[in-house]
């Protein structure tokens, strides 16, 4: 059974840093691209960042580029999002999501399994 | 960047009725790259439909998707009580964007 569990969310002051983790199990971590998607309170979904299945390529939304870094720890089957220079508009629930693999290809941005999310609040 | 506009913002219907949710793209998209998600309160989104019309694993056949170019539709043939939640469309080509969502509420 595919399981995705996020952790690390917290209340942090503007300008602060936070490290989110996404522990996965039940599938081959290195076969799938993984992404972070966030949702501000009462708002819609916003893609944040993606890491390729190889772990070599990473992509970021313009709003977080230069402040957030995505990586992974294969020994822990964990995707990591390092968040620096946090701003009030980064306040959101952060979801970790798995890219779907079909018979002929694996996709970066189509998500077939999601975690339950971890809450990040940026406020003084 | 492709912008997705969902309509209506809120759809008020009764259980058993048919729901049609719309998603319009700011420019023509490859129909292989349009998906729909369902989100229940306090939960993560759940993939319903991808490639415009392919149901994800375990999704009941009362959910169907159609469309091409800039206009796409999610249809729920007969609403069940658990279907009264929020739905998002998504484009997932070389980049990714989500629509603003449609809430389906009980009339």
């Amino acid at each position: 059974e595919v399981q995705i569990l996020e952790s690390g969310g917290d209340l942090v002051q503007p300008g602060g840093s936070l490290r989110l983790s996404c522990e996965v199990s039940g599938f081959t971590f290195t076969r799938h691209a993984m992404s972070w998607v966030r949702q501000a309170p009462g708002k819609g979904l916003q893609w944040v960042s993606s890491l390729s299945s190889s772990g070599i390529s990473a992509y970021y939304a313009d709003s977080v580029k230069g402040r957030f870094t995505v990586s992974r720890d294969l020994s822990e089957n964990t995707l990591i999002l390092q968040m620096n220079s946090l701003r009030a508009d980064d306040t959101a629930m952060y979801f970790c999501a798995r890219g779907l693999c079909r018979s002929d290809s694996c996709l970066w941005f189509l998500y077939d399994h999601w975690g339950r999310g971890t809450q990040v609040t940026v406020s003084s | 960047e492709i912008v997705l506009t969902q309509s209506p913002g809120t759809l008020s219907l009764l259980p058993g009725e048919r729901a049609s949710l719309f998603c319009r793209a700011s420019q023509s998209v490859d129909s292989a790259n349009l998906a729909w998600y369902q989100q229940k309160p306090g939960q993560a989104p759940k993939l319903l439909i991808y490639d415009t019309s392919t149901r994800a694993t375990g999704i009941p056949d009362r959910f169907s998707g159609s469309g091409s170019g800039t206009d796409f539709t999610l249809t729920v043939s007969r609403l069940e009580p658990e279907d009264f939640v929020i739905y998002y469309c998504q484009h997932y080509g070389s980049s990714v964007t989500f629509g603003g969502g449609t809430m389906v509420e009980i009339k």
Side-chain angles (χ1 to χ4, degrees):
Chain A
E1 180 191 2
V2 173
Q3 294 197 21
I4 296 174
L5 183 63
E6 303 91 337
S7 62
D10 205 347
L11 170 64
V12 62
Q13 292 190 340
S17 296
L18 213 51
R19 184 176 186 264
L20 304 186
S21 295
C22 166
E23 184 177 357
V24 308
S25 61
F27 65 96
T28 303
F29 192 30
T30 53
R31 183 169 181 240
H32 295 261
M34 297 292 297
S35 295
W36 291 96
V37 177
R38 69 186 180 184
Q39 187 170 35
K43 302 297 184 182
L45 302 168
Q46 182 189 27
W47 170 75
V48 174
S49 178
S50 297
L51 186 67
S52 66
S53 58
S54 67
I56 294 174
S57 300
Y59 293 96
Y60 302 93
D62 287 344
S63 58
V64 307
K65 203 172 293 183
R67 300 188 299 123
F68 291 10
T69 303
V70 64
S71 62
R72 69 185 183 186
D73 181 343
L74 291 180
S75 67
E76 300 286 339
N77 262 17
T78 297
L79 183 74
I80 297 161
L81 186 67
Q82 178 66 42
M83 310 164 67
N84 299 329
S85 303
L86 283 161
R87 311 186 304 220
D89 61 0
D90 294 318
T91 295
M93 181 70 76
Y94 283 72
F95 296 101
C96 178
R98 186 184 86 162
L100 179 147
C101 282
R102 42 190 182 200
S103 58
D104 60 339
S105 61
C106 290
L107 303 178
W108 283 70
F109 301 126
L110 176 64
Y111 308 121
D112 62 350
H113 288 276
W114 299 62
R116 301 186 70 166
T118 187
Q119 178 67 41
V120 172
T121 303
V122 185
S123 175
S124 55
Chain B
E1 176 186 305
I2 294 174
V3 177
L4 299 178
T5 302
Q6 291 188 240
S7 62
T10 302
L11 191 55
S12 300
L13 294 168
L14 295 171
E17 289 191 312
R18 180 186 187 91
S20 294
L21 287 66
F22 303 101
C23 177
R24 172 162 286 176
S26 57
Q27 57 187 278
S28 183
V29 304
D30 186 337
S31 60
N33 297 330
L34 197 287
W36 292 90
Y37 296 84
Q38 177 192 68
Q39 189 177 30
K40 297 180 179 180
Q43 295 188 20
K46 178 181 180 181
L47 180 64
L48 294 177
I49 301 284
Y50 63 96
D51 294 355
T52 295
S53 60
T54 301
R55 275 188 298 276
T57 302
I59 301 304
D61 61 8
R62 66 178 183 274
F63 292 93
S64 63
S66 63
S68 64
T70 60
D71 295 304
F72 299 86
T73 302
L74 172 70
T75 301
V76 188
S77 59
R78 284 186 316 279
L79 286 165
E80 298 287 341
E82 63 268 27
D83 299 335
F84 289 88
V85 292
I86 298 175
Y87 296 84
Y88 294 96
C89 61
Q90 180 210 21
H91 173 251
Y92 53 93
S94 57
S95 61
V96 53
T97 56
F98 292 92
T102 290
M103 175 182 291
V104 179
E105 65 173 20
I106 297 177
K107 189 174 182 180

